[in-house]
Amino acid sequence: MKKNRFIISSLLAVLLAVGSAHAEEALRPEVGKPLQSAQELIKAQKYKDALAKIRDADAVAGKSAQESFTIERMRFVAANGAGDADAAAKSLEALIASGKLAAADQQKFVQAVAVGYYRAKDYGKAITWTQRYFKEGGNDGQMRTLLVQSYYLNGDYANAAKDLAAEFQAEEKGGGKPAQDRLEMLAGCYVKLNDMGGYVGVLEKLATYYPKKEYWADLLHRIQKKPGFADRLALDVYRLKLVSGNLGGAGDYMEMAQLALQAGYPAEAKKVVDEGYARNLLGVGAEADRHKRLRDLVAKQLADDQKNLAQGETQANAAKEGTGLVNIGYNYVLNGQNDKGLALMEKGIAKGGLKRPEDARLHLGHAYLLAGQKPKAVQTFKSVQGADGTADLARLWVLQSQH
């Protein structure tokens, strides 16, 4: 923590002032002489040698309260210079217990003890002293960070998660943006606590505020692994993979294009194949001929599909239920005929009798998004209630629409 050095430096100044205030209280020679030597060594930045002289002074029997206070004051300065955080923290603790500190300085010293123990990696004591700091009225935001990190590093993931979650709620309520590293720490807490619901919730926030493709890959993987996730939604997962940059090699492009063909959407298959070729993932290597066969098949089915769209629309209008209208409308949107396609999809949903109404709303939301009607897309996605993965995918589309 960058502020730690400032805290320690300010305390050095306070200690020097405190030392001057008590200078009139003489030290016995057997204590004062090694401390005087230590002071010269500190000025020369020979801190380890200074600590040795301070130990000589501390070994003197029958020390007065002022002698002990002066010893600890100098030990803190030397230990801090030597980088001995544990010794520095213990000296501060002794100074606080001495009763010689002004009330106005007490809180600064409590804060520094907490920082000292944190630097010494004694996280249990860092927690104790940081909690005391807040009980005594401290309000430094850096100390909140230190407390959470101490909880985490001490293995107290429940308290770390509790404080982090409260911190993020306050930030979001105030219109702020949670820090990425803090969100990742909270995600780590939930993993340690085996709270996968909490973990996915944080992962969604990471994907919202910091849309790295790795976050999206993890989200999509976990959703597909949820109990009850429907295999028929594989193409919908690929659609999210495509827009989040998570279609990998040639195999992913081939698989998505084939699924689009099987679903009756050759226009979508063509866009996928074209992107695969543009990225030099298709049309190269040992599988180049197979890629070309797929591209030719996509072109043939697209030509046939475009000839038959009008006929399919007529048949869908004649059907008693609206599934055909939803599907043909979706196909029109995928072919770039947004207004016509959306009207047919809305008509199909209103007609009713749908075997899978949540799928229909999921695809209508996607169609609105493709047509550039983001508010309607988000509203539609939020209406999806399916427990088979449709609602999970719809929620991810809402997140994706924010980018």
Side-chain angles (χ1 to χ4, degrees):
M1 298 170 66
K2 293 180 180 179
K3 199 171 181 181
N4 289 354
R5 289 190 179 90
F6 173 76
I7 294 169
I8 299 300
S9 297
S10 65
L11 284 180
L12 292 173
V14 172
L15 280 169
L16 290 173
V18 171
S20 298
H22 293 276
E24 68 278 5
E25 298 183 32
L27 305 178
R28 289 177 293 161
E30 56 266 41
V31 174
K33 187 174 179 180
L35 288 184
Q36 186 175 7
S37 298
Q39 189 171 22
E40 294 301 320
L41 289 167
I42 288 171
K43 288 179 181 179
Q45 298 185 358
K46 296 180 179 180
Y47 300 111
K48 291 185 178 179
D49 291 338
L51 284 171
K53 290 294 182 181
I54 292 166
R55 284 193 291 271
D56 289 343
D58 196 22
V60 175
K63 294 184 294 294
S64 69
Q66 176 58 27
E67 287 173 335
S68 294
F69 179 85
T70 304
I71 287 169
E72 295 303 337
R73 177 172 63 85
M74 293 190 67
R75 196 196 319 265
F76 168 75
V77 176
N80 182 66
D84 189 340
D86 185 54
K90 288 177 179 176
S91 288
L92 283 172
E93 193 170 348
L95 289 168
I96 292 170
S98 71
K100 289 182 173 290
L101 295 175
D105 297 327
Q106 178 87 1
Q107 191 181 97
K108 293 179 183 178
F109 279 80
V110 171
Q111 181 179 17
V113 173
V115 171
Y117 278 123
Y118 180 84
R119 291 171 63 189
K121 300 183 180 180
D122 189 337
Y123 302 115
K125 287 185 178 178
I127 290 167
T128 298
W129 282 90
T130 306
Q131 289 172 335
R132 176 174 170 177
Y133 167 76
F134 287 118
K135 286 178 181 177
E136 294 189 6
N139 58 5
D140 188 334
Q142 288 271 346
M143 297 303 290
R144 292 285 177 194
T145 300
L146 185 143
L147 179 59
V148 170
Q149 290 179 178
S150 296
Y151 279 138
Y152 186 87
L153 294 169
N154 204 44
D156 189 350
Y157 304 114
N159 271 319
K162 180 182 176 182
D163 281 13
L164 283 168
E167 175 185 316
F168 297 147
Q169 287 172 5
E171 285 179 343
E172 289 182 317
K173 188 176 180 180
K177 178 180 177 180
Q180 184 175 1
D181 61 336
R182 307 283 282 166
L183 282 170
E184 288 180 339
M185 181 182 288
L186 180 55
C189 288
Y190 285 132
V191 169
K192 296 288 188 180
L193 294 168
N194 199 30
D195 182 351
M196 288 302 105
Y199 174 75
V200 170
V202 177
L203 200 56
E204 289 181 0
K205 289 188 181 295
L206 281 164
T208 300
Y209 292 114
Y210 308 96
K212 290 169 58 177
K213 71 176 186 177
E214 291 80 7
Y215 297 143
W216 278 96
D218 197 356
L219 275 174
L220 291 166
H221 172 74
R222 289 180 183 280
I223 281 176
Q224 283 182 285
K225 293 296 183 182
K226 285 181 69 173
F229 187 88
D231 292 340
R232 72 175 187 281
L233 299 173
L235 178 57
D236 293 285
V237 173
Y238 271 111
R239 287 168 179 148
L240 278 164
K241 284 185 176 182
L242 180 65
V243 297
S244 64
N246 277 292
L247 275 191
D252 277 356
Y253 280 90
M254 293 282 286
E255 178 70 13
M256 183 175 179
Q258 289 166 349
L259 287 171
L261 286 180
Q262 292 168 15
Y265 304 129
E268 182 175 33
K270 183 178 185 304
K271 292 175 184 176
V272 174
V273 170
D274 287 348
E275 182 174 312
Y277 270 88
R279 292 185 60 193
N280 291 320
L281 294 171
L282 299 181
V284 296
E287 296 285 302
D289 287 343
R290 181 166 170 254
H291 303 161
K292 183 178 182 303
R293 289 195 297 272
L294 177 62
R295 183 171 64 174
D296 292 343
L297 176 62
V298 168
K300 180 180 182 304
Q301 289 199 17
L302 179 58
D304 293 342
D305 186 66
Q306 290 175 339
K307 290 177 184 178
N308 298 322
L309 272 174
Q311 182 182 351
E313 181 182 347
T314 300
Q315 292 173 346
N317 272 310
K320 292 182 179 180
E321 48 87 30
T323 300
L325 286 170
V326 172
N327 292 339
I328 199 74
Y330 196 24
N331 202 8
Y332 271 119
V333 173
L334 293 169
N335 274 277
Q337 298 184 51
N338 298 330
D339 292 343
K340 186 170 187 176
L342 288 169
L344 289 173
M345 293 184 79
E346 291 166 352
K347 182 179 178 181
I349 290 174
K351 193 172 187 178
L354 302 174
K355 183 179 179 182
R356 293 195 174 95
E358 304 305 329
D359 290 41
R361 277 187 276 273
L362 176 66
H363 294 156
L364 177 60
H366 184 220
Y368 278 133
L369 205 57
L370 291 173
Q373 299 185 35
K374 188 179 291 186
K376 281 191 174 182
V378 171
Q379 183 181 12
T380 304
F381 284 134
K382 288 182 176 180
S383 73
V384 179
Q385 301 295 318
D388 55 0
T390 47
D392 291 320
L393 292 171
R395 189 172 63 256
L396 294 189
W397 275 116
V398 172
L399 299 184
Q400 184 60 223
S401 70
Q402 297 174 13
H403 307 315

